[in-house]
Amino acid sequence: MQIDILTLFPQMFQSPFSVGIFKRAIERKLVRVNIHNIRDYTHDKHHTVDDYPYGGGAGMVLKPEPIFEAVESIKSDISLKQGVDVLPIILLTPQGRLFSQQIALELSKYNHLILICGHYEGVDERVHEYLATDEISIGDYVLSGGELAAMVVIDAVVRLLPGVLGSEASPLDESHATGLLEYPQYTRPPAYRGWPVSEVLLSGNHAQIARWRREQAILRTLKRRPELLDKANLSLQERQLVSRLEKSNLPGESKGK
Ligand code: ADE
């Protein structure tokens, strides 16, 4: 997958891509990330990227020209190399659709993404309307720019690409992939400071372990994010378990303090 990022702060992207699974994915050529400074697409002496909002008001607005030109330059580069049918051009903005595991999965199917990081008070509306094909928000709060949001989106997408994680199976099990939160995980020692690991996990009985994990995932989701259960893919028996648990007073989760 190729990812092109348009930003006013290219230096913000240095460390996330130089460690861990990203570094490995880039080295193995599973992903290529190009960072473009929006300022490089200006034509005036001062490299102006923003201007006062028409109609007045606080703050500055990102101008459309450098952003359009940056995207057009990236697109002309790739169309020379390969025919591109669908190339999502994603604007990171608090006004976008709310990012989720489902959207990460959807984006992981493309072989190319362009991400535009907004800044200041906003981006000229013509970028929203005539350039971006998608707008994504990572949550109902306002960041000072789209860079951190772009990193969140890229991280969630890249780890879904085939071969990026060590074990192919692991992304399927984890929180949200199944529509449920993930079951609790333990490693050695079997008892730590008097807190034991469930006997089931030490039993070596894989069927029992799978059942225990599924129940724990359901229980945890019910306690922490009950709204997720409406959409989760549960069997009839599991639905019955949920109703029983809902009727009994769920014990609160101890933080062990
Ligand atoms: N830019 C500023 N806030 C944002 C958010 N919550 N999501 C995506 N981009 C943003």
Side-chain angles (χ1 to χ4, degrees):
M1 172 182 271
Q2 177 173 331
I3 304 174
D4 286 272
I5 304 165
L6 275 63
T7 172
L8 288 173
F9 300 101
Q11 62 277 29
M12 280 184 77
F13 290 91
Q14 266 161 19
S15 59
F17 298 131
S18 60
V19 292
I21 67 149
F22 258 114
K23 184 172 177 232
R24 229 179 42 217
I26 290 170
E27 282 169 359
R28 289 207 221 136
K29 301 200 184 338
L30 298 170
V31 61
R32 186 166 63 231
V33 182
N34 301 321
I35 318 278
H36 307 267
N37 191 337
I38 296 172
R39 230 171 259 287
D40 293 342
Y41 295 86
T42 54
H43 302 291
D44 64 314
K45 192 167 79 190
H46 301 291
H47 301 288
T48 313
V49 290
D50 58 340
D51 209 336
Y52 294 100
Y54 275 128
M60 303 292 272
V61 174
L62 273 185
K63 291 164 68 59
E65 308 95 308
I67 301 178
F68 270 83
E69 288 183 33
V71 169
E72 281 156 9
S73 151
I74 295 165
K75 279 171 94 172
S76 68
D77 262 8
I78 8 164
S79 58
L80 288 179
K81 290 184 206 131
Q82 58 198 263
V84 188
D85 313 325
V86 223
L87 169 52
I89 301 169
I90 303 164
L91 179 64
L92 283 313
T93 161
Q95 302 165 32
R97 59 183 176 137
L98 198 56
F99 191 56
S100 63
Q101 189 65 23
Q102 191 54 42
I103 297 178
L105 197 62
E106 173 195 321
L107 298 180
S108 71
K109 311 281 187 230
Y110 292 98
N111 52 28
H112 197 159
L113 302 173
I114 297 183
L115 276 72
I116 305 171
C117 306
H119 246 274
Y120 305 124
E121 285 311 300
V123 178
D124 188 284
E125 185 61 23
R126 286 161 292 193
V127 171
H128 293 260
E129 205 166 335
Y130 303 112
L131 185 65
T133 61
D134 195 358
E135 300 186 27
I136 289 179
S137 163
I138 61 157
D140 291 336
Y141 40 81
V142 181
L143 301 166
S144 53
E147 283 76 10
L148 291 172
M151 289 175 208
V152 167
V153 169
I154 295 169
D155 189 292
V157 169
V158 166
R159 59 196 299 290
L160 294 177
L161 300 177
V164 167
L165 293 185
S167 149
E168 293 288 335
S170 50
L172 300 175
D173 244 11
E174 62 201 8
S175 293
H176 299 293
T178 57
L180 297 172
L181 300 185
E182 198 182 0
Y183 50 79
Q185 296 270 26
Y186 295 91
T187 184
R188 280 184 283 190
Y192 177 64
R193 297 194 176 182
W195 302 311
V197 172
S198 166
E199 283 295 328
V200 180
L201 295 178
L202 311 179
S203 70
N205 182 329
H206 295 296
Q208 262 185 32
I209 291 171
R211 208 171 320 121
W212 182 87
R213 285 181 165 166
R214 180 78 184 170
E215 275 176 21
Q216 291 293 316
I218 293 171
L219 189 62
R220 177 163 279 189
T221 310
L222 181 61
K223 281 181 188 161
R224 299 184 183 185
R225 299 286 307 278
E227 79 283 5
L228 295 179
L229 287 173
D230 298 337
K231 283 200 205 139
N233 193 3
L234 299 187
S235 68
L236 181 62
Q237 271 182 334
E238 288 171 339
R239 291 263 164 227
Q240 287 166 344
L241 170 70
V242 170
S243 338
R244 275 203 308 280
L245 289 168
E246 275 171 338
K247 280 181 204 132
S248 69
N249 241 343
L250 278 180
E253 283 187 282
S254 145
K255 282 285 164 206
K257 288 179 198 140

